[in-house]
Amino acid sequence: MSPLLLLGRPVADSLLESLKADIKKLDPKLVVVQVGDDPASESYIRQKLKSCEAVGLRNEHRHLSEKVTLEELMQTIGELNENADVTGFIVQLPLPKALQPHVPEVIRAIDPKKDIDGFGAYNLGKMFLSVEFEHLPPATPSGVIEILKFYKISIEGKHAVVVGRSNIVGKPLAIMLLNRGATVTVCNSKTKNLAEITRQADILCCAVGSPKMITKNMVKQGAVVIDIGVSRVDGKLSGDVDFEAVSEVVSAITPVPGGVGPMTVASLIRNCITAKKRQLSAE
Ligand code: NAP
C-alpha cells in the first residue's frame, strides 16, 4: 500500500488562513535583512515576502551589500530593534564569508522580542521549559510539529529519532518532540551504527543535507518519515531520504520539495503575529 503523503502546502495554507484575521487586526510588520547575493537566500527571501503579501502582512526587504562591515550590520539590527513599527525581523543566513564567524554575535544582537526566527539563546532556552514556553520556536521544527498535528500523527509515547543536531533544526525539533511526550534519540555525524538507531524510529526526522542518505533498510516498517534535508542534485531538489525506496515500507512520508518547505515560511509568519501579541500584552 502506498504511504500517506504528508504534503506541506495544505497545512501551510490552513495555518496562513487562520492567521489572516489577526494580521488584519494587529497590523504587524516583518523585515528580512539580506546581506550579499547568495542565490539560495534570494529564493528563500522571495518565498517569504510572497507569502507575506498573500496574507496581507506588511513586509520590508533590507538588502545590504556583500561588503557591509559587522558594525554596519549591527547598526541596522540596532535600528530595527528600536523601530516601534517593526514587529519582528530576521537576518537571512548564511552571511557572506567575511561575516560568518560573527553569526553568534549577530543573532545575539537581535532583540528576543523581535527574534521571529527564534534562533537566539533566550527563545531557544525557553523551549526547554515546556510546550507553553515555546513562544517563538524556530520555524522549521515548528513546521514539522504542525504537519504531524494536521495529519493526526500522535507524538506522545512514540520513539522519535532526529538525525542532525543543528541549533536551528535538529536540536529544537528534538526538544519540541520531547515536550510532547516522545522518547527522543538525536544522531549526528559521529553516531555509530546509524541504521540500527533509525530502524527503531516510529517517527524518523532527517535534517542533514545529504541526498538520499536514508535508505530503505534504515527505516522500520510502518514508520512516519519527515524529510527536512534539501540538497540540489543535477539541478533538482533532493531530500535526505531515498523517497521512492523508503515509500515502499513506511506509513507516511513528506516529499521534497513540497513537504516541510512550505511550512517553514508559514511558521515564520505565525511567529511574527505571536511576537506582536506578546509585545502588546507587555505594554
Ligand atoms: P547543518 O547545520 O549543516 O547540520 C547538519 C547536521 O547533520 C549536523 O548536526 C551534522 O552532525 C549532521 N550530520 C552530518 N552528516 C551526518 C551523518 N552522516 N549522519 C548523521 N548526522 C549527520 O544543517 P541544518 O541547518 O540543520 O539543515 C539541515 C538540512 O535541512 C539542510 O539540507 C538544509 O538545507 C535543510 N533545511 C531545510 C529547511 C526547510 O524549510 N525545508 C529549513 C532549514 C534547513 P554534526 O553536528 O556532528 O556535524
Side-chain angles (χ1 to χ4, degrees), residues 148 152-161 177-178 180-185 200-204 220 222 224 251:
L148 293 172
K152 301 190 170 33
I153 295 166
S154 68
I155 297 173
E156 196 173 84
K158 301 281 177 64
H159 185 186
V161 173
L177 291 163
L178 188 61
R180 287 159 180 78
T183 301
V184 182
T185 306
Q200 293 171 32
D202 301 312
I203 301 174
L204 175 61
K220 180 165 82 175
V224 172
S251 62

Side-chain angles (χ1 to χ4, degrees), residues 57-249:
L57 175 62
R58 287 191 297 136
N59 58 86
E60 187 184 329
H61 182 190
R62 295 265 181 116
H63 193 168
L64 309 179
S65 139
E66 171 135 24
K67 297 198 177 72
V68 82
T69 62
L70 179 62
E71 289 66 31
E72 285 164 332
L73 175 57
M74 288 298 197
Q75 239 169 33
T76 299
I77 292 173
E79 189 259 303
L80 293 169
N81 282 341
E82 293 302 317
N83 188 337
D85 191 42
V86 174
T87 309
F89 63 99
I90 67 164
V91 177
Q92 184 70 42
L93 301 178
L95 292 176
K97 235 189 176 99
L99 290 173
Q100 264 169 27
H102 301 288
V103 167
E105 260 171 282
V106 168
I107 291 174
R108 206 162 47 235
I110 300 172
D111 182 339
K113 293 195 287 298
K114 297 190 175 189
D115 171 26
I116 53 173
D117 252 341
F119 292 170
Y122 179 79
N123 287 309
L124 283 176
K126 274 205 312 191
M127 294 176 64
F128 275 68
L129 301 174
S130 67
V131 172
E132 289 71 30
F133 287 89
E134 293 172 0
H135 293 134
L136 296 177
T140 302
S142 179
V144 171
I145 299 294
E146 206 57 37
I147 287 180
L148 293 172
K149 194 165 134 198
F150 184 89
Y151 290 101
K152 301 190 170 33
I153 295 166
S154 68
I155 297 173
E156 196 173 84
K158 301 281 177 64
H159 185 186
V161 173
V162 180
V163 187
R165 58 165 169 179
S166 73
N167 289 338
I168 61 175
V169 188
K171 275 188 219 165
L173 177 58
I175 294 298
M176 293 180 91
L177 291 163
L178 188 61
N179 283 346
R180 287 159 180 78
T183 301
V184 182
T185 306
V186 188
C187 304
N188 59 74
S189 65
K190 313 288 185 299
T191 298
K192 302 220 165 42
N193 304 322
L194 182 67
E196 219 169 84
I197 299 169
T198 55
R199 269 198 299 271
Q200 293 171 32
D202 301 312
I203 301 174
L204 175 61
C205 303
C206 309
V208 174
S210 175
K212 298 191 179 184
M213 68 170 280
I214 302 293
T215 51
K216 188 175 167 182
N217 68 333
M218 294 172 80
V219 180
K220 180 165 82 175
Q221 185 90 33
V224 172
V225 173
I226 307 288
D227 191 355
I228 302 158
V230 183
S231 312
R232 206 165 268 281
V233 182
D234 300 330
K236 275 180 68 184
L237 292 186
S238 167
D240 286 347
V241 177
D242 183 354
F243 181 85
E244 300 297 332
V246 168
S247 290
E248 291 171 15
V249 290

